[in-house]
Amino acid sequence: MFLTEESRQQLCPVLFVGLAAFVFNLSELSSFDVWYHLSLGRQISESGSVPRANILSYTAPEHPGPSLSWFFQWLIFQLHRAGGVGAVIVFRSLVVAAILALLLATMRARGTDLLTAMVMLGLGAVAVRSRFVDRPQILGYLMMALMVFALERFRSRSNAARDDQVSLIKSGGWLFAGMAGIQIVWCNSHGSAILGVIVALVYVLGTLFDRFVIKRKTAADFRVFCICLAVVVLVSWLNPDRWRILSYPFTHAHAFESEGTKDFFVERITLEPSSLYQEHLAFSLIMLFGLLSAVLAWRKLSFVDIGLLASMGAVFLSARFLGEAIIFITPVAAGLISCLAGLGLERLLEKERIRGIVGCAALIGLLVLSACLDGRRAGLKISADYPIGAIEYVKENGLSGRVFNDFELGGFLAWHGYEVFMDSRGPVFYPSDLFRKYLDVIDRRYPQKSVQSLRELESRYGFTVAVVNHYMPIKLFRQSPQWQEVYSTSSATVFVKQ
């Protein structure tokens, strides 16, 4: 009754995408990092303050570190306290659903036909399947999708109502408020908040070049986007680390390089060329479609489009940027493809409703493929890969003393009340010499160095219990006559010092 026929036609596909994405992302909790986030969220809730040092560890309790994700940590702890693991999984599914629904809305705001939008959205879901986990990055993706949608919607509306200054001013006011709220949440949820500034800057520079190079009438857009950029930069101060949050990705990378730990992380996040036609085939297809359509439909390109498409280059620096690149390039690629394929699709499938049904079927098929490739089991439960049995054994047998653990297991141990040797935040919250020694322990290439490093760490920190899951620590503890293996499963092995 309150919606026009046109509004219903626009809203129904968005709701369908949100519902489908929500259902297909109701899978088990499997991220090891989520447990240290829950542990810190518990500490924030109980103390009423954001920790500025490494409170989870006995090896570096005073080591300072940034408070990048305190809002996410506090939020998921509140959810866990209210509804357990299931509530955390439902929250993740809702966030993923919102991201994909916003991407579809952005594509439609750019004039993309429904069939093309659904297919590209499905490919995007397949491409980022491994990044939709219970970590702060999903809030970063949501804020990015919100920001791109808000800017794109304003741009499309301003083009449609160029002479209606009252409407433009009103839309601009809502845009400024929305951009401020988005950036505030982003700066307190994830270290990628600098991307909010970069997105706003792309729209400023893109409209500037469009105005002076292509001679498009973008004066109103340019002024509004400049104010948006200023607003985003100013509100970035509203977090515990102030404007340092904007430099975090650069200082973080520099710390890895200067501390000698870069190689360890590069091996984990480098995009191998072979993966472009294997694991990351969906991203390769989106990238290929985007580049080909940009060449063929170059007259339709704006400098904003070029700036967003350029983000695909970041993926070749690190696979960690895959999610961000998909959010940037998919709407642009879909819009350009729609311009090229629109007439052919209209001839092939004459009725828009039929094109929509075919698009929805394609999306469901790709979401099913994404769920199958992801490997996580459906359900509101935790993964069997967590060392639940090992923790229960340690508790039931009253094993006391300091615990040596592999860094992936640190968050899970911390959640169960143990001070840990290390957790997966790595060199951000631990001294570089300690992390370097740990890397030497787990390195299979130099067994003698591993033995020596483990002995040095044991002497320095005096741990008497070990909960490990890496090959080399398990081998070293088994070879040592001072340590006895008391429990072992595929998820973890427990040793006690004699």
Side-chain angles (χ1 to χ4, degrees):
M1 183 172 63
F2 299 102
L3 296 174
T4 64
E5 181 64 26
E6 183 181 355
S7 297
R8 283 196 293 269
Q9 290 178 356
Q10 293 290 333
L11 184 59
C12 286
V14 173
L15 293 177
F16 172 80
V17 166
L19 179 61
F22 174 77
V23 170
F24 281 100
N25 278 278
L26 287 173
S27 56
E28 64 185 2
L29 198 70
S30 60
S31 169
F32 278 93
D33 289 357
V34 71
W35 299 106
Y36 79 70
H37 288 300
L38 281 167
S39 301
L40 291 170
R42 177 173 59 192
Q43 175 64 25
I44 293 168
S45 297
E46 292 174 352
S47 66
S49 62
V50 178
R52 307 295 292 172
N54 188 359
I55 61 171
L56 302 182
S57 171
Y58 65 82
T59 54
E62 303 299 325
H63 192 76
S67 305
L68 302 173
S69 306
W70 74 268
F71 177 71
F72 172 84
Q73 292 159 354
W74 174 85
L75 179 59
I76 63 166
F77 175 72
Q78 300 305 319
L79 291 168
H80 188 279
R81 183 159 62 178
V85 168
V88 177
I89 294 172
V90 167
F91 170 71
R92 177 239 294 159
S93 299
L94 286 171
V95 172
V96 172
I99 293 168
L100 295 184
L102 283 165
L103 279 178
L104 177 64
T106 303
M107 293 182 207
R108 298 292 279 167
R110 296 177 66 97
T112 307
D113 71 273
L114 192 55
L115 175 55
T116 303
M118 288 293 193
V119 172
M120 293 298 288
L121 190 64
L123 285 174
V126 175
V128 297
R129 63 190 182 278
S130 63
R131 306 297 295 165
F132 284 155
V133 293
D134 309 273
R135 295 176 60 186
Q137 68 201 34
I138 61 171
L139 276 188
Y141 294 155
L142 178 59
M143 296 305 107
M144 188 182 306
L146 272 169
M147 189 172 286
V148 172
F149 169 72
L151 292 167
E152 203 58 52
R153 187 168 176 80
F154 174 81
R155 193 163 70 134
S156 64
R157 282 189 170 184
S158 63
N159 289 335
R162 182 67 61 189
D163 298 325
D164 187 354
Q165 292 299 312
V166 175
S167 177
L168 285 177
I169 292 171
K170 186 176 179 180
S171 297
W174 282 110
L175 180 63
F176 303 148
M179 294 288 282
I182 291 168
Q183 187 67 8
I184 289 171
V185 173
W186 201 342
C187 284
N188 290 281
S189 301
H190 193 241
S192 62
I194 181 62
L195 292 176
V197 177
I198 293 174
V199 170
L201 185 61
V202 165
Y203 277 82
V204 168
L205 295 178
T207 51
L208 180 65
F209 282 117
D210 284 343
R211 182 180 178 187
F212 291 105
V213 178
I214 308 179
K215 306 298 182 182
R216 289 180 179 169
K217 295 180 180 180
T218 59
D221 289 3
F222 178 68
R223 290 195 296 268
V224 169
F225 292 155
C226 283
I227 296 173
C228 285
L229 176 60
V231 167
V232 166
V233 172
L234 288 174
V235 300
S236 297
W237 185 82
L238 299 175
N239 70 90
D241 293 293
R242 305 309 183 200
W243 277 310
R244 289 192 301 275
I245 188 76
L246 300 180
S247 65
Y248 172 73
F250 310 105
T251 56
H252 194 42
H254 176 71
F256 282 162
E257 187 163 0
S258 62
E259 292 169 2
T261 56
K262 180 181 178 182
D263 291 343
F264 173 75
F265 288 96
V266 165
E267 290 176 3
R268 293 179 160 224
I269 62 179
T270 299
L271 190 73
E272 297 293 339
S274 60
S275 70
L276 290 174
Y277 54 86
Q278 296 174 3
E279 179 185 357
H280 299 301
L281 177 61
F283 168 74
S284 300
L285 290 174
I286 293 174
M287 181 176 64
L288 181 62
F289 291 155
L291 291 174
L292 285 176
S293 58
V295 172
L296 296 174
W298 63 272
R299 291 180 181 275
K300 298 285 186 179
L301 269 180
S302 69
F303 278 94
V304 172
D305 296 337
I306 294 171
L308 294 174
L309 285 172
S311 65
M312 69 179 69
V315 178
F316 294 93
L317 299 176
S318 169
R320 288 181 182 271
F321 297 126
L322 189 63
E324 290 86 349
I326 289 296
I327 292 171
F328 282 157
I329 69 178
T330 304
V332 179
L336 294 171
I337 293 170
S338 184
C339 290
L340 293 172
L343 185 59
L345 289 174
E346 289 176 6
R347 289 175 178 172
L348 180 64
L349 302 170
E350 294 182 0
K351 292 185 177 180
E352 185 177 356
R353 181 173 295 180
I354 296 177
R355 295 198 297 272
I357 292 172
V358 173
C360 290
L363 174 67
I364 292 297
L366 287 167
L367 287 176
V368 170
L369 176 63
S370 176
C372 293
L373 292 174
D374 183 51
R376 286 179 289 182
R377 291 179 289 273
L380 305 180
K381 56 188 178 182
I382 65 174
S383 170
D385 293 333
Y386 294 130
I388 302 170
I391 297 294
E392 290 177 349
Y393 181 89
V394 171
K395 286 186 174 181
E396 290 173 0
N397 289 273
L399 301 182
S400 58
R402 290 182 167 179
V403 179
F404 175 90
N405 61 275
D406 280 317
F407 83 127
E408 293 99 335
L409 305 181
F412 196 73
L413 284 163
W415 175 246
H416 286 86
Y418 293 93
E419 287 189 324
V420 299
F421 173 81
M422 183 173 293
D423 63 74
S424 50
R425 291 172 295 173
V428 178
F429 274 86
Y430 292 88
S432 58
D433 62 329
L434 169 61
F435 193 71
R436 187 71 259 175
K437 283 292 181 185
Y438 171 74
L439 295 184
D440 290 338
V441 170
I442 66 174
D443 193 341
R444 300 187 185 191
R445 296 172 299 177
Y446 309 106
Q448 290 301 320
K449 193 174 184 179
S450 298
V451 172
Q452 182 182 353
S453 297
L454 183 59
R455 287 175 179 170
E456 291 179 14
L457 291 173
E458 182 181 348
S459 175
R460 186 190 307 178
Y461 296 108
F463 42 81
T464 57
V465 180
V467 181
V468 289
N469 63 350
H470 276 270
Y471 169 82
M472 205 61 196
I474 292 174
K475 180 180 179 181
L476 295 178
F477 281 116
R478 281 176 175 167
Q479 290 177 343
S480 174
Q482 296 181 324
W483 289 85
Q484 179 184 358
E485 181 178 335
V486 294
Y487 178 89
S488 182
T489 63
S490 58
S491 58
T493 303
V494 179
F495 296 89
V496 177
K497 191 171 184 179
Q498 300 285 53

